[in-house]
Amino acid sequence: MTQLRIYATQAAGIAADRASAVASTPKPLFSTSNPALISAELKTRGIKFQRWPSQPGLEQGANQEQILLAYQSLIRSVQDSDGYGTVDVMRVGGDQPSSEPLRQTFLREHQHAEDEVRFFVEGRGLFSLHINGEVLQLICEANDWIAIPAETRHWFDMGANPSYCVIRFFKKSGGWAASFTDDPIASHYPGLA
């Protein structure tokens, strides 16, 4: 289930090792699974969130061409309104044995020079956004669309056994490029169970 939790950032000096971080995991100040409340909370922080209708003719495991065709009108609407010239499909999990190194890369706090825009076709993932003294954790699932503005500090957890498929939107054709902050903050907050 899609869920938003909002935490105050932890004070400096908390132990960076995972065991101590889990023991001192903060309690959320706010938590909801209501899509309208999720969208409203994220909007106040400059994050766009929508629920798109599922496409009944699209089968689990569909290929890129089938997915892009099924969501063509919604994709075009986003491209026209926000100028995303490049769209592709990324599938992680299943028979891909190298997902753990990818997971570890995404778990490091980073930011991008352009917006990070994703639509979950299948599966789920956890975006953690570090914004102005808060950490917002959003579990995205199938039919969730999110647009994180450029330069927003964040990390992403695909889980220990990842299985998801997303449509990715880019303004530039270079694809995913991250600038890592080297802040250990991600180790202080829950991951995707």
Side-chain angles (χ1 to χ4, degrees), residues 38-84:
I38 291 171
S39 182
E41 285 294 325
L42 293 176
K43 184 177 181 179
T44 66
R45 294 156 178 92
I47 311 297
K48 296 178 184 177
F49 174 82
Q50 301 173 8
R51 295 273 304 159
W52 286 5
S54 59
Q55 301 300 310
L58 191 63
E59 294 183 21
Q60 187 84 5
N63 67 32
Q64 176 168 294
E65 183 179 317
Q66 294 166 324
I67 291 168
L68 295 178
L69 183 62
Y71 289 99
Q72 181 177 7
S73 63
L74 290 164
I75 291 168
R76 185 167 293 130
S77 173
V78 170
Q79 287 181 301
D80 291 347
S81 67
D82 296 324
Y84 299 109

Side-chain angles (χ1 to χ4, degrees), residues 6 13 17 30-31 40 54 63-64 74 96 116 127 142-143 151 155 173:
I6 301 175
D17 66 280
F30 177 84
S31 181
S54 59
N63 67 32
Q64 176 168 294
L74 290 164
Q96 295 175 327
E116 182 160 349
F127 281 102
N143 303 324
E151 307 303 330
W155 60 95
S173 61

Side-chain angles (χ1 to χ4, degrees), residues 11 21 32 46 61 71-72 80 82 93 100 102 113 117 129 147:
T32 186
Y71 289 99
Q72 181 177 7
D80 291 347
D82 296 324
E100 187 56 28
L102 184 61
V117 183
L129 314 172

Side-chain angles (χ1 to χ4, degrees), residues 18-150:
R18 188 72 175 153
S20 295
V22 170
S24 63
T25 298
K27 300 287 185 227
L29 303 173
F30 177 84
S31 181
T32 186
S33 295
N34 179 311
L37 290 176
I38 291 171
S39 182
E41 285 294 325
L42 293 176
K43 184 177 181 179
T44 66
R45 294 156 178 92
I47 311 297
K48 296 178 184 177
F49 174 82
Q50 301 173 8
R51 295 273 304 159
W52 286 5
S54 59
Q55 301 300 310
L58 191 63
E59 294 183 21
Q60 187 84 5
N63 67 32
Q64 176 168 294
E65 183 179 317
Q66 294 166 324
I67 291 168
L68 295 178
L69 183 62
Y71 289 99
Q72 181 177 7
S73 63
L74 290 164
I75 291 168
R76 185 167 293 130
S77 173
V78 170
Q79 287 181 301
D80 291 347
S81 67
D82 296 324
Y84 299 109
T86 303
V87 177
D88 70 9
V89 174
M90 176 182 178
R91 184 177 295 281
V92 175
D95 59 355
Q96 295 175 327
S98 62
S99 60
E100 187 56 28
L102 184 61
R103 180 184 188 206
Q104 291 307 313
T105 298
F106 291 165
L107 281 173
R108 296 172 47 212
E109 186 186 65
H110 58 276
Q111 52 197 4
H112 306 284
E114 71 170 278
D115 301 346
E116 182 160 349
V117 183
R118 303 290 183 264
F119 171 70
F120 281 75
V121 177
E122 300 169 8
R124 67 188 193 135
L126 172 64
F127 281 102
S128 296
L129 314 172
H130 183 188
I131 303 171
N132 298 328
E134 294 179 321
V135 170
L136 294 83
Q137 289 197 311
L138 179 66
I139 297 175
C140 289
E141 296 193 326
N143 303 324
D144 289 342
W145 178 90
I146 185 170
I148 302 167

Side-chain angles (χ1 to χ4, degrees), residues 128-187:
S128 296
L129 314 172
H130 183 188
I131 303 171
N132 298 328
E134 294 179 321
V135 170
L136 294 83
Q137 289 197 311
L138 179 66
I139 297 175
C140 289
E141 296 193 326
N143 303 324
D144 289 342
W145 178 90
I146 185 170
I148 302 167
E151 307 303 330
T152 301
R153 290 177 162 222
H154 66 283
W155 60 95
F156 178 75
D157 189 357
M158 63 175 77
N161 298 303
S163 180
Y164 68 93
C165 178
V166 292
I167 298 173
R168 305 184 306 172
F169 295 78
F170 301 100
K171 290 187 178 178
K172 301 174 186 169
S173 61
W176 192 88
S179 171
F180 294 93
T181 67
D182 295 325
D183 186 329
I185 188 169
S187 66

